[in-house]
Amino acid sequence: MKIRAAVLTASPAAAPFAESRPLRIRELDLDPPGPEEVLVRIGAAGLCHSDLSVINGNRPRPVPMVLGHEAAGTVVQIGAAIRDLAPGDRVVMTFQPTCGACLPCAEGRPALCIPGAEANGKGVLMSGTMRLHDGGSDVHHHCGVSAYADHAVVSRHSVVRVDADDIPFAELALFGCAVQTGVGAILNTCRV
């Protein structure tokens, strides 16, 4: 399907970004979800320091890339292997996919998931694939989400279903990164 997305084509970009304009709105091709992936219509996405760190080169990532790693939206289509989500479900997308099987995941530390971190560093989904394309060229995924678009294909391991219909997407999106990292710092570092 055709989507519109904010694409980062070079990193680092010169500041101020209002002048260098490192993100360009482009029409991209988005493949349908693989067996363990979900197509989501983006309802809201946050702008986080991690996105800015990719733009300014402090967090090197492969480009071109669609940024955006904390978001919320509505499931449009599910992969053939997914049994616990359905079209119409509201979901939060998170920056750290978790396999559930590696040592950190087994020890209850899914934020340190080894396959998830490897996929994020390569700019691919947990399946090792890229679903975004610009003509004949692949476009990388940011943290397995790439939410600066109207739709995204993400791993099932990157979404959490939300049962509440009354929370706006703009608030839900914050749970994808800001709430996790903020609460994590308070509980794990400050021990409050």
Side-chain angles (χ1 to χ4, degrees), residues 97-122:
T98 57
C99 72
C102 69
L103 183 61
C105 284
E107 291 178 342
R109 300 178 302 139
L112 301 176
C113 177
I114 295 167
E118 289 173 353
N120 284 353
K122 293 176 183 175

